[in-house]
Amino acid sequence: KVPFVVRWPGRVKAGTVTDAMISYTDVLPTFLEAAGGKPVPGLDGSSFVKVLTGQARTFRKELHASHSGDGTMNMSPQRCLRDERYKYILHLHPERKWTTHFTIVDEIPESHRQVYGTWLERAKTDAAAAQLIERIERHPAEELFDTEKDPDELHNVAGKPEMASVLTRMRKRMKQLRSELGDSDE
């Protein structure tokens, strides 16, 4: 549910909303087509002009994303696969504590570190705050969310027996994507 706002008078009807899934890799091909250009061979992504102009209601059947460790701050690489209903997250190193700039660096001006520090302090005496910190810093090997029933992605259903077939399908597709991309574990 990342917003993408477009204003294109005469082409995109004001107030239009769509659930079509797009990726940031699709933005450049879309801008090229909108400007009258031709697709560039080898570019990742595809134009979604037809979605913008109301000629199509859907676009992608799935999206994938990755976050790789930067070797210093972000040490918890993740891969994600999203289809029209489910979101699967693979944590490549669930044994690692999740960190980022705002969790470990005090010297960054106007960062979230000060706020995070207050959460850490409160977690020492407040069970709810401690649970929040645990949720931020520790991730299971896999997460699966039913975005239809749980749009805020608060309930990991990866361990539910009734979700086994969905989890198996998402794992298989993730393995295929990682193989196609030559993806590493970092």
Side-chain angles (χ1 to χ4, degrees):
K1 298 270 183 186
V2 176
F4 187 84
V5 180
V6 173
R7 182 174 186 272
W8 192 5
R11 297 295 306 266
V12 176
K13 184 180 173 188
T16 300
V17 176
T18 178
D19 287 329
M21 293 193 306
I22 63 170
S23 172
Y24 284 120
T25 61
D26 301 321
V27 173
L28 180 57
T30 302
F31 285 174
L32 285 171
E33 182 179 346
K38 302 286 182 212
V40 176
L43 265 187
D44 290 337
S46 303
S47 171
F48 56 90
V49 163
K50 288 183 180 178
V51 171
L52 295 176
T53 59
Q55 298 170 354
R57 296 181 58 90
T58 62
F59 185 63
R60 290 186 175 274
K61 296 289 185 196
E62 69 179 20
L63 297 171
H64 62 280
S66 67
H67 170 75
S68 292
D70 67 8
T72 308
M73 305 291 167
N74 302 302
M75 301 298 294
S76 301
Q78 304 164 322
R79 304 298 183 258
C80 175
L81 178 61
R82 170 78 159 84
D83 68 16
E84 293 171 323
R85 180 166 179 178
Y86 298 101
K87 182 177 186 179
Y88 172 71
I89 303 171
L90 174 65
H91 297 276
L92 300 177
H93 291 285
E95 74 282 1
R96 294 180 187 168
K97 177 180 170 181
W98 184 88
T99 60
T100 191
H101 296 77
F102 78 80
T103 67
I104 60 176
V105 180
D106 291 319
E107 301 85 32
I108 300 176
E110 298 181 35
S111 76
H112 299 293
R113 176 63 179 140
Q114 277 187 304
V115 173
Y116 196 70
T118 65
W119 294 354
L120 291 171
E121 192 59 36
R122 186 166 187 171
K124 293 176 183 176
T125 59
D126 181 322
Q131 187 177 26
L132 175 64
I133 295 298
E134 181 68 16
R135 186 178 182 129
I136 290 169
E137 293 183 350
R138 303 287 174 202
H139 298 267
E142 297 176 299
E143 294 178 89
L144 180 65
F145 299 98
D146 181 338
T147 64
E148 189 176 286
K149 292 181 180 177
D150 179 22
D152 295 325
E153 300 173 17
L154 297 175
H155 307 285
N156 180 7
V157 296
K160 303 260 185 216
E162 64 272 20
M163 300 306 296
S165 65
V166 174
L167 185 59
T168 298
R169 176 175 56 82
M170 298 297 263
R171 279 178 182 153
K172 182 178 177 181
R173 180 64 179 133
M174 178 65 77
K175 184 176 181 179
Q176 178 186 6
L177 283 169
R178 293 188 70 210
S179 176
E180 288 172 7
L181 296 169
D183 189 27
S184 74
D185 282 345
E186 288 301 323

